[in-house]
Amino acid sequence: MWKKIKRIIYIIILANILFIVWGKFFNPPITITQIGGLMEYGKLKRDYISYDEMGSNVKKAVIAAEDQSFFVHNGFDYKAIEKAMKYNQKGKKLRGGSTISQQTAKNIFLWQGRSWIRKGFEAVYTFIIELVWGKDVILERYLNSIEMGRGVFGVESASKYYFNKSSKDLTKSEAAWIATILPNPRKYDPKNPSAYLNKKHTWIMRQMNNITLK
């Protein structure tokens, strides 16, 4: 019995290693989140493109909105985590401190939701992809897999869905609107923005001026 358990564990570990290495060169065939979107909304809009095909505006916009320390941290932004913990201790609405690397690990390998088990796996995957993939690959996988609307995944599909153009052709303002709906793309709509979204869009536009792509 114990030998069978060990064999299963070894197989799982080997499969994960192969998937991580494979993921350095290819986008995921499908993710758990995408399956969930397909089941809930009956559609799966996605269009994987390469890092260079994405254009600079949408990269800067998402980094400005989600993780301005992306190119300098090791996968974890400890200041952001500490800030989020203090904010949550006040009893206000939960705020996350996840980096783009952590979100990529979650989106590609894991499932949505809040649990210590998932966060533990997320930390392990984040550490590994930072070592194996590097920043450009992590950002490419993130921008291709992130949920951007109801059944819409990735910046290319989002660009076509909201603005009827490729992501490389987005203006600075349009790219900022793509980033503005994060982290709740099922709720927010850049075509029908609230006062809060308009304010956030303006802030992202300013922050984009501080982002330098590597």
Side-chain angles (χ1 to χ4, degrees):
M1 181 65 179
W2 176 238
K3 288 184 178 180
K4 289 183 179 180
I5 294 175
K6 288 199 296 184
R7 187 178 298 113
I8 292 173
I9 293 174
Y10 291 149
I11 291 173
I12 292 174
I13 293 173
L14 178 60
N16 272 272
I17 293 173
L18 293 175
F19 190 30
I20 291 170
V21 174
W22 183 87
K24 179 178 176 64
F25 304 99
F26 303 99
N27 285 286
I30 197 167
T31 67
I32 295 175
T33 305
Q34 289 173 354
I35 293 173
L38 176 61
M39 293 177 65
E40 184 170 355
Y41 301 111
K43 64 180 181 179
L44 177 58
K45 293 182 179 294
R46 62 175 188 177
D47 191 359
Y48 292 152
I49 57 176
S50 70
Y51 183 84
D52 293 334
E53 291 176 305
M54 293 174 176
S56 60
N57 278 335
V58 74
K59 296 173 190 173
K60 289 182 178 180
V62 173
I63 291 172
E66 293 292 291
D67 183 6
Q68 294 188 26
S69 300
F70 173 68
F71 286 112
V72 297
H73 63 59
N74 65 350
F76 305 92
D77 187 339
Y78 299 105
K79 290 183 178 179
I81 294 173
E82 182 180 0
K83 185 177 180 180
M85 291 177 65
K86 290 181 179 179
Y87 184 89
N88 296 336
Q89 286 174 355
K90 295 178 181 179
K92 299 180 180 180
K93 185 178 180 180
L94 288 176
R95 173 184 291 179
S98 295
T99 63
I100 284 177
S101 302
Q102 289 174 275
Q103 293 181 56
T104 303
K106 176 185 66 178
N107 292 339
I108 301 298
F109 300 102
L110 302 169
W111 60 93
Q112 304 297 316
R114 295 180 180 274
S115 72
W116 288 110
I117 294 176
R118 201 222 67 199
K119 292 297 290 185
F121 281 123
E122 178 186 294
V124 173
Y125 280 115
T126 299
F127 176 78
I128 295 174
I129 63 175
E130 277 280 338
L131 291 176
V132 178
W133 289 5
K135 294 294 186 180
D136 286 359
V137 174
I138 290 174
L139 187 57
E140 179 184 319
R141 299 291 174 269
Y142 176 77
L143 293 175
N144 272 327
S145 65
I146 188 172
E147 188 172 18
M148 299 297 299
R150 297 182 177 185
V152 180
F153 294 85
V155 294
E156 182 71 2
S157 291
S159 300
K160 294 177 179 177
Y161 183 73
Y162 294 116
F163 298 108
N164 198 31
K165 61 172 67 175
S166 295
S167 58
K168 64 181 177 62
D169 297 322
L170 290 173
T171 65
K172 182 178 179 181
S173 178
E174 289 168 342
W177 276 120
I178 292 289
T180 297
I181 63 175
L182 301 173
N184 199 342
R186 296 188 179 193
K187 177 181 178 181
Y188 299 137
D189 183 354
K191 292 297 186 179
N192 186 28
S194 62
Y196 165 75
L197 287 187
N198 278 311
K199 184 178 180 180
K200 183 179 178 181
H201 175 264
T202 301
W203 179 83
I204 291 174
M205 290 273 286
R206 291 198 304 266
Q207 296 302 310
M208 287 173 69
N209 296 325
N210 303 322
I211 304 299
T212 300
L213 299 175
K214 303 297 183 181

